Amino acid sequence: MLLVNLRDLSLYGFLSDKARAALPTAHWDYIFGSILAAVIEHKAITIFTLLFGISFALQLRRVAVGSGFPIFYIRRLLVLLIIGVVHGIFWFGDVLRYYAVMGFFLLPARRLRPLTMVVIGLVIALFPWTLFYQLNDFFNRNALPSDQIAASALTTFGGSSLSEMVTGNVSYDWSIRLTKWSFPLAVLGRLFIGAAIGRSDALVEPKEHIRVWLWILMVTMPIGVGLTLFASLNADRTVPLALGPVIRGAASLSLGLAYIAIFILLFHLPLWRRWMSPLIAVGRMALTNYLLQTFVAIILFYGVGFGIGPRFGLIGTLPFFVAIFVIQIALSRWWLARFYFGPVEWMWRCLSYGSLIPMRKNLQTI
């Protein structure tokens, strides 16, 4: 998610084609951008969304035995919505708001069988919503052309005024939500699939379901790679326009599931587990790290901070990605050695339960 988000957080995504071509890194930016689009972009948000669906289902498994689960769940989503709205004021790419709003639809579906939830999720996620994209002309009849909107956002985000940056971000956020109104539906479909995985025993007891994850990998990886290659070769010119996003959505969903399966399978190998274990702390503080990544990037690249901007091109975001993520690994491990939860996770948990939960560990045991 960080690597993909740095495309826009570095302001590179707002440059015109001419401005990108004028950068000294243009050749490498093109190569890196192609790899990013094929291997990571859309797959990262798919994994993140599936994991949120899984987490909601695991919460249900733990507390559904009590009659107060719906109230707890609703309160939990409302707190997440507030966090997402605040985050969205500064970063138009926030996804937490959509997880919160779409998460409400998981509550009435909690009694459905996992297979039924998978089918519903696939239908919602892969339905060709582009059939209704003519509605964009109605919603955006008074909007500026997209290149002018991007140029205005680049100027605003590169400026030194915090108030103008926030105003410009909210305005830009509103404009892209009108043109990408099907995004929440894609999120909903993936949440259903993630919740189905969380409802099954395949994730709760992965060691006993290695064959299941091998089967998932063998099915989703060929489909994902094949559809990604098909989409990369300008497949939209050989298929109806409405099916282009469906192909890309199916590719990202298939590869997202394949990546999760690979991670689970590798984690059960002792050598790989040692290499991957530092990521556990980052995962336990996923919400805190996600928000922190945004504000660190704004301080680095936006005009209200150091104002680095897109001068190093897209390839130039790689060193920043490595530095930010390595620091977050170290900080997450340090923090969780002293506290039970990440700071935002702790706040979210306290507000969800309506009580103050102990956070600090006994330092004598460290």
Side-chain angles (χ1 to χ4, degrees):
M1 284 293 293
L2 172 61
L3 189 58
V4 173
N5 286 344
L6 281 176
R7 177 186 179 93
D8 287 334
L9 283 168
S10 69
L11 305 184
Y12 177 86
F14 298 99
L15 293 176
S16 65
D17 292 339
K18 183 178 180 181
R20 293 178 186 177
L23 292 173
T25 57
H27 174 70
W28 294 107
D29 289 341
Y30 175 78
I31 295 175
F32 178 53
S34 300
I35 296 173
L36 193 67
V39 180
I40 301 177
E41 195 170 10
H42 299 305
K43 290 76 177 177
I45 185 66
T46 292
I47 294 174
F48 204 43
T49 306
L50 289 172
L51 291 178
F52 259 83
I54 290 170
S55 71
F56 289 149
L58 293 179
Q59 283 285 330
L60 187 150
R61 290 174 70 103
R62 286 197 292 267
V63 300
V65 293
S67 59
F69 173 73
I71 301 300
F72 161 80
Y73 183 77
I74 291 172
R75 189 161 55 219
R76 183 173 173 82
L77 289 181
L78 288 175
V79 174
L80 182 63
L81 178 60
I82 294 172
I83 295 173
V85 169
V86 174
H87 184 221
I89 291 174
F90 298 93
W91 164 236
F92 63 87
D94 170 78
V95 297
L96 301 177
R97 327 166 251 188
Y98 303 103
Y99 294 161
V101 174
M102 295 298 111
F104 281 100
F105 291 93
L106 295 179
L107 186 58
R110 68 187 187 277
R111 301 189 187 280
L112 296 177
R113 295 193 306 169
L115 181 58
T116 303
M117 297 186 72
V118 169
V119 172
I120 294 174
L122 288 173
V123 171
I124 296 174
L126 301 181
F127 186 83
W129 300 105
T130 46
L131 292 172
F132 305 102
Y133 265 21
Q134 59 266 31
L135 294 175
N136 286 350
D137 295 334
F138 172 78
F139 289 128
N140 298 279
R141 57 190 182 278
N142 297 320
L144 295 172
S146 58
D147 56 340
Q148 292 185 32
I149 294 176
S152 176
L154 178 62
T155 301
T156 302
F157 296 157
S160 59
S161 171
L162 178 61
S163 61
E164 291 182 6
M165 186 273 282
V166 169
T167 302
N169 178 75
V170 172
S171 176
Y172 185 76
D173 183 30
W174 177 250
S175 68
I176 62 175
R177 293 310 147 214
L178 290 178
T179 57
K180 298 181 179 180
W181 51 266
S182 63
F183 176 73
L185 297 170
V187 167
L188 178 60
R190 284 158 173 77
L191 283 178
F192 262 86
I193 296 172
I197 295 173
R199 288 272 305 280
S200 70
D201 292 330
L203 194 67
V204 178
E205 300 174 346
K207 195 171 184 178
E208 287 72 25
H209 294 81
I210 292 297
R211 290 187 177 182
V212 173
W213 289 108
L214 279 171
W215 180 85
I216 291 175
L217 177 61
M218 288 188 294
V219 171
T220 57
M221 181 61 80
I223 293 175
V225 171
L227 291 178
T228 298
L229 289 174
F230 186 67
S232 299
L233 297 175
N234 297 318
D236 284 353
R237 295 185 297 183
T238 60
V239 297
L241 182 62
L243 293 183
V246 175
I247 293 172
R248 291 191 292 272
S252 66
L253 184 56
S254 298
L255 284 181
L257 288 168
Y259 292 167
I260 292 176
I262 290 173
F263 184 91
I264 291 174
L265 292 171
L266 290 179
F267 195 75
H268 285 86
L269 301 177
L271 178 61
W272 279 95
R273 181 177 297 185
R274 286 198 298 270
W275 281 98
M276 299 165 72
S277 59
L279 300 177
I280 295 175
V282 178
R284 288 180 58 193
M285 291 177 53
L287 183 56
T288 295
N289 285 321
Y290 172 66
L291 298 174
L292 188 60
Q293 288 167 3
T294 296
F295 291 107
V296 169
I298 288 176
I299 291 172
L300 288 173
F301 296 104
Y302 279 41
V304 295
F306 293 105
I308 294 174
R311 69 185 69 179
F312 298 119
L314 184 60
I315 194 71
T317 62
L318 268 176
F320 291 100
F321 161 75
V322 173
I324 293 172
F325 196 61
V326 167
I327 292 173
Q328 285 195 318
I329 290 176
L331 286 177
S332 297
R333 297 184 70 180
W334 179 89
W335 182 275
L336 290 178
R338 292 158 176 79
F339 302 94
Y340 291 110
F341 315 102
V344 182
E345 285 80 4
W346 175 77
M347 179 188 68
W348 188 18
R349 183 177 290 256
C350 289
L351 292 174
S352 298
Y353 282 99
S355 62
L356 195 63
I357 297 174
M359 181 181 184
R360 190 174 182 85
K361 294 180 178 179
N362 186 350
L363 295 180
Q364 294 180 352
T365 64
I366 299 177

